[in-house]
Amino acid sequence: MKRLKNVLVTVTAATILLLFGLALRPMETTKAKKPNIIFILADDLGYGDVGFNGQTKIKTPNIDQLAREGMVFRQHYCGTAVCGPSRAALMTGIHTAHATVRELSEWGLNGKPADLTPSDVTVAKELKRAGYTTGIIGKWGLDEGGTTGNTLTQGFDYFYGFKTHREAHHYYPEYIWKNKDKIPLPNNNCAEKRGTYSNDTFAEEAQTFIQQHRSEPFFLYLPFTLPHNELTVPADSRQPYENLGWPKQPMQVAHYHHDPDGNLAYAGMVSRLDRYVGQLMAELIKQHLDENTLVIFSSDNGPGYDKGFFDSNGPFRGGKLQLYEGGIRAPFVARWSGTIKPGTVSDHASAFWDFLPTACELAGVQPSAKIDGISYVSALLGKPKSQKEHDYFYWEINEREGPIQAVRMGPWKGIKLYEKPFELYNLQDDIAEKNNVADKHPDVVAKIRTMMTQIRTDNPEFPLTKRKALY
């Protein structure tokens, strides 16, 4: 009997240990598993072009659902007010005071290709160190010279899309890049708007990427080209906006093969982008990945098309190529089911150069290069008290109206335009930047002017001098 009791005690103890181990193991696995990261980037989409920021004419139900299920940032900034350098800031964590890419190639002093260099450390390189599979599908725009900026040497395992920003100007391109191969699209014709609509393939490729890498941590950078010029979209996306009595906006065809009516095309393009977001989220749910995937949606700079009909810049002044808030404040929403509290709003001030340290923190690694960014993980997790804040934000641009510099420091926003009086705005009281108060606060102006000089490092290709595009 004693022997039987000892056997029972041993079996019972072993059973308890086994059950305890089984119960503990899933928790440990879940805790240890690194989240997938998807960054969806629109092109020239304004702050006010999405429903969650007040858009009423254009319907964006899927993007708005991201906002309902995640967190909206009200004070998120692009890298600058034009695509190439803005995207460089997103990828490297470095703003335009220090970046190797500060303008598009044609606006550089000598017209040299504005590419990332071997010394640049991208978020893809950092996540590769953390064991992630990395992919970019869409517009890269940082390999203008076809050398050092190649995606496959900048940390990405897979690339499908446009290497340069000019390739991305057309929606029915003659070819597309897949890794290092140029894939002809013989049935496409830009002028006739015939063949495969490029962004449709980006959405399809993104879903395939998710399917192929569902069992490993992945980073997917998904920069669509919608709704950038040229303004054209398949008829099924324009149809919901026809016969609404909208004013027509005739478009002239030159470099861009626009549709006849710009308003219908623009609305349809934004809605088609919204459709892609819905397809992507459906795929994540289908693959049981939505609870372990952080999805971020934003735009590379302010709106380039709208002149007021859509209120694309929301309550702000200006748009693309300008450093007023409308040119650099971006729509931003982050969704991570089960981790980010649904339906929340953050007033944390952040910028594109914060994405790299954020991704690194989520992946469990430290940034390996000196950067300007600050991780916004605490803000995403609803812990504003532990969220570090920026002392300042810096932007510059040198296209058309340039050179222009801007610095935000707390509520103050200083803008230095070429051969014009210095402008100072208190964003806390004047979000639309209507009242220049530079004369009333000379001490603040002096401080910001000094910062503009001290923060910036020289780059011989991008001096702060007046110039014209070289081509």
Side-chain angles (χ1 to χ4, degrees):
M1 181 65 71
K2 185 175 181 180
R3 183 179 179 183
L4 179 60
K5 286 182 178 179
N6 288 339
V7 171
L8 290 172
V9 169
T10 302
V11 171
T12 303
T15 303
I16 292 172
L17 287 172
L18 177 62
L19 292 173
F20 181 75
L22 289 173
L24 185 61
R25 196 175 303 154
M27 292 176 64
E28 290 177 341
T29 301
T30 301
K31 186 177 180 180
K33 191 172 182 181
K34 299 173 181 178
N36 306 312
I37 302 171
I38 299 177
F39 199 111
I40 306 171
L41 188 67
D43 198 337
D44 287 11
L45 183 78
Y47 180 93
D49 276 329
V50 289
F52 70 80
N53 278 343
Q55 179 58 227
T56 58
K57 295 183 177 73
I58 305 172
K59 305 306 178 186
T60 57
N62 295 298
I63 298 171
D64 297 342
Q65 185 171 343
L66 286 183
R68 289 192 298 272
E69 296 176 351
M71 176 179 286
V72 172
F73 277 27
R74 294 297 189 200
Q75 299 190 78
H76 188 74
Y77 289 99
C78 312
T80 189
V82 72
C83 62
S86 185
R87 292 157 190 263
L90 179 69
M91 287 291 101
T92 64
I94 299 172
H95 56 59
T96 47
H98 313 299
T100 54
V101 178
R102 305 190 191 186
E103 293 295 340
L104 299 176
S105 301
E106 55 262 44
W107 287 92
L109 183 64
N110 300 301
K112 295 179 181 179
D115 294 338
L116 294 184
T117 67
S119 62
D120 283 312
V121 180
T122 65
V123 63
K125 288 181 179 178
E126 300 286 33
L127 292 178
K128 284 291 292 179
R129 290 195 297 116
Y132 278 66
T133 297
T134 57
I136 167 175
I137 298 169
K139 174 181 171 181
W140 177 234
L142 298 171
D143 188 19
E144 302 290 306
T147 55
T148 61
N150 188 280
T151 55
L152 301 185
T153 62
Q154 290 294 338
F156 288 98
D157 297 310
Y158 180 73
F159 168 54
Y160 182 90
F162 301 119
K163 292 200 306 183
T164 71
H165 79 282
R166 282 188 173 270
E167 289 173 324
H169 283 183
H170 301 296
Y171 286 88
Y172 296 90
E174 296 178 358
Y175 63 87
I176 210 148
W177 292 96
K178 185 173 184 179
N179 295 324
K180 292 187 176 182
D181 298 323
K182 183 185 286 188
I183 308 299
L185 300 173
N187 295 324
N188 275 26
N189 186 297
C190 288
E192 297 177 8
K193 303 178 182 63
R194 173 168 50 81
T196 301
Y197 195 70
S198 59
N199 283 245
D200 286 356
T201 67
F202 297 160
E204 293 167 3
E205 286 283 328
Q207 293 171 71
T208 299
F209 184 89
I210 291 169
Q211 295 163 8
Q212 292 176 340
H213 302 291
R214 63 180 306 277
S215 299
E216 58 194 345
F218 64 79
F219 166 52
L220 174 59
Y221 176 37
L222 189 52
F224 290 104
T225 62
L226 293 162
H228 189 290
N229 282 338
E230 59 198 0
L231 296 187
T232 183
V233 72
D236 63 318
S237 290
R238 295 194 305 269
Q239 189 276 327
Y241 300 103
E242 295 174 346
N243 304 315
L244 296 180
W246 286 2
K248 293 186 181 297
Q249 182 61 50
M251 304 297 291
Q252 294 184 349
V253 174
H255 170 68
Y256 296 116
H257 301 286
H258 298 299
D259 288 349
D261 186 344
N263 286 342
L264 288 181
Y266 189 79
M269 293 168 83
V270 175
S271 284
R272 202 169 190 89
L273 173 65
D274 181 79
R275 179 195 300 182
Y276 300 146
V277 172
Q279 292 170 351
L280 187 77
M281 296 310 300
E283 188 63 42
L284 286 175
I285 293 171
K286 179 181 177 181
Q287 300 297 333
H288 306 289
L289 294 174
D290 63 311
E291 290 194 357
N292 194 49
T293 302
L294 169 64
V295 178
I296 294 175
F297 176 88
S298 192
S299 178
D300 66 342
N301 49 247
Y305 164 71
D306 184 37
K307 301 299 186 290
F309 178 67
F310 293 112
D311 289 327
S312 290
N313 55 2
F316 306 116
R317 174 184 179 182
K320 183 178 181 178
L321 304 180
Q322 298 178 316
L323 296 185
Y324 297 111
E325 293 292 287
I328 54 176
R329 197 178 292 214
F332 182 98
V333 60
R335 177 202 186 271
W336 186 359
S337 180
T339 299
I340 294 176
K341 186 178 179 181
T344 50
V345 175
S346 174
D347 284 324
H348 171 62
S350 57
F352 269 20
W353 47 93
D354 296 330
F355 175 60
L356 184 146
T358 299
C360 284
E361 182 174 348
L362 293 174
V365 296
Q366 292 292 324
S368 60
K370 185 178 179 180
I371 59 172
D372 298 309
I374 296 173
S375 168
Y376 44 72
V377 167
S378 291
L380 293 177
L381 299 181
K383 300 176 181 178
K385 292 183 179 179
S386 61
Q387 176 62 57
K388 294 182 180 179
E389 303 288 343
H390 283 281
D391 293 328
Y392 69 88
F393 295 89
Y394 175 93
W395 304 268
E396 67 179 58
I397 191 167
N398 202 345
E399 293 196 25
R400 298 182 187 176
E401 301 176 20
I404 309 172
Q405 291 174 281
V407 165
R408 176 177 172 180
M409 184 180 60
W412 297 108
K413 170 93 170 288
I415 302 178
K416 182 181 179 183
L417 299 104
Y418 181 71
E419 295 185 342
K420 291 183 179 181
F422 195 90
E423 297 180 10
L424 180 70
Y425 303 96
N426 186 333
L427 298 181
Q428 186 171 324
D429 302 327
D430 179 24
I431 197 65
E433 295 170 295
K434 292 181 178 180
N435 303 305
N436 181 6
V437 293
D439 292 343
K440 297 178 181 179
H441 301 277
D443 54 333
V444 178
V445 170
K447 185 175 182 179
I448 291 179
R449 279 184 174 275
T450 300
M451 290 180 68
M452 286 177 174
T453 301
Q454 293 179 343
I455 292 168
R456 193 177 192 272
T457 58
D458 290 334
N459 185 310
E461 186 63 16
F462 307 112
L464 291 174
T465 56
K466 190 69 176 177
R467 51 186 180 270
K468 296 180 180 179
L470 294 181
Y471 49 87

